[in-house]
PDB file of all heavy atoms in Angstrom:
ATOM      1  N   GLN U 312      -6.333   3.859  -6.815  1.00  0.00           N
ATOM      2  CA  GLN U 312      -5.215   3.303  -7.578  1.00  0.00           C
ATOM      3  C   GLN U 312      -3.832   3.299  -6.870  1.00  0.00           C
ATOM      4  O   GLN U 312      -2.999   2.481  -6.997  1.00  0.00           O
ATOM      5  CB  GLN U 312      -5.053   4.188  -8.895  1.00  0.00           C
ATOM      6  CG  GLN U 312      -4.097   3.507  -9.939  1.00  0.00           C
ATOM      7  CD  GLN U 312      -4.267   4.294 -11.259  1.00  0.00           C
ATOM      8  OE1 GLN U 312      -5.140   5.163 -11.450  1.00  0.00           O
ATOM      9  NE2 GLN U 312      -3.489   3.933 -12.214  1.00  0.00           N
ATOM     10  N   GLU U 313      -3.706   4.286  -5.942  1.00  0.00           N
ATOM     11  CA  GLU U 313      -2.432   4.473  -5.282  1.00  0.00           C
ATOM     12  C   GLU U 313      -2.600   4.211  -3.779  1.00  0.00           C
ATOM     13  O   GLU U 313      -2.946   5.127  -3.079  1.00  0.00           O
ATOM     14  CB  GLU U 313      -1.871   5.838  -5.523  1.00  0.00           C
ATOM     15  CG  GLU U 313      -1.512   6.162  -6.959  1.00  0.00           C
ATOM     16  CD  GLU U 313      -0.294   5.330  -7.388  1.00  0.00           C
ATOM     17  OE1 GLU U 313       0.437   4.778  -6.703  1.00  0.00           O
ATOM     18  OE2 GLU U 313      -0.197   5.137  -8.690  1.00  0.00           O
ATOM     19  N   PRO U 314      -2.295   2.987  -3.276  1.00  0.00           N
ATOM     20  CA  PRO U 314      -2.549   2.770  -1.912  1.00  0.00           C
ATOM     21  C   PRO U 314      -1.741   3.497  -0.878  1.00  0.00           C
ATOM     22  O   PRO U 314      -2.151   3.775   0.169  1.00  0.00           O
ATOM     23  CB  PRO U 314      -2.286   1.197  -1.805  1.00  0.00           C
ATOM     24  CG  PRO U 314      -1.391   0.875  -2.925  1.00  0.00           C
ATOM     25  CD  PRO U 314      -1.883   1.829  -3.982  1.00  0.00           C
ATOM     26  N   MET U 315      -0.456   3.860  -1.308  1.00  0.00           N
ATOM     27  CA  MET U 315       0.444   4.505  -0.353  1.00  0.00           C
ATOM     28  C   MET U 315      -0.016   5.916  -0.067  1.00  0.00           C
ATOM     29  O   MET U 315       0.137   6.438   1.007  1.00  0.00           O
ATOM     30  CB  MET U 315       1.875   4.588  -0.882  1.00  0.00           C
ATOM     31  CG  MET U 315       2.917   4.764   0.225  1.00  0.00           C
ATOM     32  SD  MET U 315       2.800   3.579   1.574  1.00  0.00           S
ATOM     33  CE  MET U 315       3.382   4.497   2.967  1.00  0.00           C
ATOM     34  N   THR U 316      -0.657   6.536  -1.079  1.00  0.00           N
ATOM     35  CA  THR U 316      -1.174   7.895  -0.874  1.00  0.00           C
ATOM     36  C   THR U 316      -2.561   7.949  -0.394  1.00  0.00           C
ATOM     37  O   THR U 316      -3.050   9.022   0.005  1.00  0.00           O
ATOM     38  CB  THR U 316      -1.032   8.726  -2.203  1.00  0.00           C
ATOM     39  OG1 THR U 316      -1.838   8.053  -3.209  1.00  0.00           O
ATOM     40  CG2 THR U 316       0.388   8.870  -2.637  1.00  0.00           C
ATOM     41  N   SER U 317      -3.304   6.885  -0.383  1.00  0.00           N
ATOM     42  CA  SER U 317      -4.657   6.778   0.105  1.00  0.00           C
ATOM     43  C   SER U 317      -4.780   6.337   1.509  1.00  0.00           C
ATOM     44  O   SER U 317      -5.784   6.600   2.200  1.00  0.00           O
ATOM     45  CB  SER U 317      -5.412   5.817  -0.764  1.00  0.00           C
ATOM     46  OG  SER U 317      -5.423   6.209  -2.162  1.00  0.00           O
ATOM     47  N   LEU U 318      -3.762   5.638   1.996  1.00  0.00           N
ATOM     48  CA  LEU U 318      -3.784   5.224   3.395  1.00  0.00           C
ATOM     49  C   LEU U 318      -3.080   6.231   4.260  1.00  0.00           C
ATOM     50  O   LEU U 318      -2.087   6.820   3.915  1.00  0.00           O
ATOM     51  CB  LEU U 318      -3.021   3.859   3.565  1.00  0.00           C
ATOM     52  CG  LEU U 318      -3.683   2.644   2.924  1.00  0.00           C
ATOM     53  CD1 LEU U 318      -2.742   1.476   2.901  1.00  0.00           C
ATOM     54  CD2 LEU U 318      -4.953   2.339   3.608  1.00  0.00           C
ATOM     55  N   ASN U 319      -3.610   6.377   5.485  1.00  0.00           N
ATOM     56  CA  ASN U 319      -3.115   7.355   6.467  1.00  0.00           C
ATOM     57  C   ASN U 319      -1.882   6.809   7.103  1.00  0.00           C
ATOM     58  O   ASN U 319      -2.018   5.761   7.788  1.00  0.00           O
ATOM     59  CB  ASN U 319      -4.122   7.830   7.469  1.00  0.00           C
ATOM     60  CG  ASN U 319      -3.706   8.969   8.265  1.00  0.00           C
ATOM     61  OD1 ASN U 319      -2.566   9.141   8.670  1.00  0.00           O
ATOM     62  ND2 ASN U 319      -4.669   9.884   8.619  1.00  0.00           N
ATOM     63  N   PRO U 320      -0.683   7.378   6.999  1.00  0.00           N
ATOM     64  CA  PRO U 320       0.549   6.685   7.559  1.00  0.00           C
ATOM     65  C   PRO U 320       0.598   6.739   9.114  1.00  0.00           C
ATOM     66  O   PRO U 320       1.331   5.977   9.612  1.00  0.00           O
ATOM     67  CB  PRO U 320       1.658   7.587   6.926  1.00  0.00           C
ATOM     68  CG  PRO U 320       1.103   8.912   6.724  1.00  0.00           C
ATOM     69  CD  PRO U 320      -0.362   8.570   6.290  1.00  0.00           C
ATOM     70  N   VAL U 321      -0.228   7.447   9.783  1.00  0.00           N
ATOM     71  CA  VAL U 321      -0.171   7.602  11.259  1.00  0.00           C
ATOM     72  C   VAL U 321      -1.249   6.826  11.947  1.00  0.00           C
ATOM     73  O   VAL U 321      -1.434   6.828  13.124  1.00  0.00           O
ATOM     74  CB  VAL U 321      -0.079   9.057  11.698  1.00  0.00           C
ATOM     75  CG1 VAL U 321       1.052   9.840  11.149  1.00  0.00           C
ATOM     76  CG2 VAL U 321      -1.426   9.837  11.378  1.00  0.00           C
ATOM     77  N   LEU U 322      -2.226   6.194  11.152  1.00  0.00           N
ATOM     78  CA  LEU U 322      -3.186   5.354  11.764  1.00  0.00           C
ATOM     79  C   LEU U 322      -2.929   3.923  11.523  1.00  0.00           C
ATOM     80  O   LEU U 322      -2.481   3.563  10.421  1.00  0.00           O
ATOM     81  CB  LEU U 322      -4.597   5.792  11.191  1.00  0.00           C
ATOM     82  CG  LEU U 322      -5.091   7.112  11.493  1.00  0.00           C
ATOM     83  CD1 LEU U 322      -6.467   7.381  10.876  1.00  0.00           C
ATOM     84  CD2 LEU U 322      -5.246   7.360  13.018  1.00  0.00           C
ATOM     85  N   THR U 323      -3.350   3.047  12.449  1.00  0.00           N
ATOM     86  CA  THR U 323      -3.094   1.674  12.201  1.00  0.00           C
ATOM     87  C   THR U 323      -4.053   1.145  11.073  1.00  0.00           C
ATOM     88  O   THR U 323      -5.034   1.745  10.767  1.00  0.00           O
ATOM     89  CB  THR U 323      -3.416   0.789  13.384  1.00  0.00           C
ATOM     90  OG1 THR U 323      -4.865   0.973  13.795  1.00  0.00           O
ATOM     91  CG2 THR U 323      -2.542   1.226  14.622  1.00  0.00           C
ATOM     92  N   ILE U 324      -3.691  -0.037  10.500  1.00  0.00           N
ATOM     93  CA  ILE U 324      -4.483  -0.631   9.497  1.00  0.00           C
ATOM     94  C   ILE U 324      -5.902  -0.942  10.079  1.00  0.00           C
ATOM     95  O   ILE U 324      -6.900  -0.724   9.396  1.00  0.00           O
ATOM     96  CB  ILE U 324      -3.862  -1.910   8.945  1.00  0.00           C
ATOM     97  CG1 ILE U 324      -2.574  -1.588   8.166  1.00  0.00           C
ATOM     98  CG2 ILE U 324      -4.765  -2.730   8.076  1.00  0.00           C
ATOM     99  CD1 ILE U 324      -2.726  -0.691   6.945  1.00  0.00           C
ATOM    100  N   GLY U 325      -5.928  -1.452  11.251  1.00  0.00           N
ATOM    101  CA  GLY U 325      -7.237  -1.766  11.856  1.00  0.00           C
ATOM    102  C   GLY U 325      -8.149  -0.641  11.978  1.00  0.00           C
ATOM    103  O   GLY U 325      -9.346  -0.700  11.630  1.00  0.00           O
ATOM    104  N   LYS U 326      -7.692   0.575  12.365  1.00  0.00           N
ATOM    105  CA  LYS U 326      -8.488   1.788  12.501  1.00  0.00           C
ATOM    106  C   LYS U 326      -9.079   2.217  11.147  1.00  0.00           C
ATOM    107  O   LYS U 326     -10.187   2.636  10.888  1.00  0.00           O
ATOM    108  CB  LYS U 326      -7.742   3.012  13.166  1.00  0.00           C
ATOM    109  CG  LYS U 326      -7.516   2.782  14.686  1.00  0.00           C
ATOM    110  CD  LYS U 326      -6.948   4.016  15.230  1.00  0.00           C
ATOM    111  CE  LYS U 326      -6.843   3.951  16.776  1.00  0.00           C
ATOM    112  NZ  LYS U 326      -6.231   5.111  17.349  1.00  0.00           N
ATOM    113  N   GLN U 327      -8.185   2.070  10.106  1.00  0.00           N
ATOM    114  CA  GLN U 327      -8.587   2.516   8.805  1.00  0.00           C
ATOM    115  C   GLN U 327      -9.647   1.592   8.148  1.00  0.00           C
ATOM    116  O   GLN U 327     -10.549   2.024   7.434  1.00  0.00           O
ATOM    117  CB  GLN U 327      -7.306   2.690   7.901  1.00  0.00           C
ATOM    118  CG  GLN U 327      -6.456   3.782   8.417  1.00  0.00           C
ATOM    119  CD  GLN U 327      -5.329   4.124   7.496  1.00  0.00           C
ATOM    120  OE1 GLN U 327      -5.413   4.614   6.426  1.00  0.00           O
ATOM    121  NE2 GLN U 327      -4.077   3.814   7.949  1.00  0.00           N
ATOM    122  N   VAL U 328      -9.497   0.282   8.355  1.00  0.00           N
ATOM    123  CA  VAL U 328     -10.421  -0.685   7.812  1.00  0.00           C
ATOM    124  C   VAL U 328     -11.720  -0.550   8.621  1.00  0.00           C
ATOM    125  O   VAL U 328     -12.769  -0.691   7.931  1.00  0.00           O
ATOM    126  CB  VAL U 328      -9.797  -2.142   7.921  1.00  0.00           C
ATOM    127  CG1 VAL U 328     -10.901  -3.201   7.391  1.00  0.00           C
ATOM    128  CG2 VAL U 328      -8.556  -2.231   7.082  1.00  0.00           C
ATOM    129  N   MET U 329     -11.748  -0.426   9.842  1.00  0.00           N
ATOM    130  CA  MET U 329     -12.923  -0.363  10.653  1.00  0.00           C
ATOM    131  C   MET U 329     -13.683   1.013  10.589  1.00  0.00           C
ATOM    132  O   MET U 329     -14.889   1.111  10.824  1.00  0.00           O
ATOM    133  CB  MET U 329     -12.597  -0.576  12.143  1.00  0.00           C
ATOM    134  CG  MET U 329     -12.067  -1.936  12.432  1.00  0.00           C
ATOM    135  SD  MET U 329     -11.153  -2.053  14.127  1.00  0.00           S
ATOM    136  CE  MET U 329     -12.391  -1.418  15.186  1.00  0.00           C
ATOM    137  N   GLU U 330     -13.021   2.004  10.059  1.00  0.00           N
ATOM    138  CA  GLU U 330     -13.609   3.386  10.110  1.00  0.00           C
ATOM    139  C   GLU U 330     -14.940   3.419   9.341  1.00  0.00           C
ATOM    140  O   GLU U 330     -15.963   3.977   9.877  1.00  0.00           O
ATOM    141  CB  GLU U 330     -12.633   4.356   9.443  1.00  0.00           C
ATOM    142  CG  GLU U 330     -13.148   5.815   9.449  1.00  0.00           C
ATOM    143  CD  GLU U 330     -12.203   6.730   8.780  1.00  0.00           C
ATOM    144  OE1 GLU U 330     -11.298   6.264   8.022  1.00  0.00           O
ATOM    145  OE2 GLU U 330     -12.374   7.976   8.935  1.00  0.00           O
ATOM    146  N   SER U 331     -14.874   2.874   8.115  1.00  0.00           N
ATOM    147  CA  SER U 331     -16.224   3.009   7.375  1.00  0.00           C
ATOM    148  C   SER U 331     -17.397   2.250   8.033  1.00  0.00           C
ATOM    149  O   SER U 331     -18.493   2.754   8.036  1.00  0.00           O
ATOM    150  CB  SER U 331     -15.960   2.390   5.979  1.00  0.00           C
ATOM    151  OG  SER U 331     -17.072   2.512   5.215  1.00  0.00           O
ATOM    152  N   VAL U 332     -17.155   1.080   8.525  1.00  0.00           N
ATOM    153  CA  VAL U 332     -18.257   0.234   9.086  1.00  0.00           C
ATOM    154  C   VAL U 332     -18.715   0.910  10.392  1.00  0.00           C
ATOM    155  O   VAL U 332     -19.986   0.915  10.719  1.00  0.00           O
ATOM    156  CB  VAL U 332     -17.869  -1.219   9.278  1.00  0.00           C
ATOM    157  CG1 VAL U 332     -16.927  -1.424  10.344  1.00  0.00           C
ATOM    158  CG2 VAL U 332     -19.112  -2.128   9.413  1.00  0.00           C
TER     159      VAL U 332
END
Side-chain angles (χ1 to χ4, degrees):
Q312 193 170 353
E313 297 293 340
M315 199 58 209
T316 57
S317 300
L318 292 171
N319 190 324
V321 300
L322 295 180
T323 64
I324 291 299
K326 283 187 177 181
Q327 295 187 67
V328 175
M329 291 162 56
E330 180 182 16
S331 182
V332 73

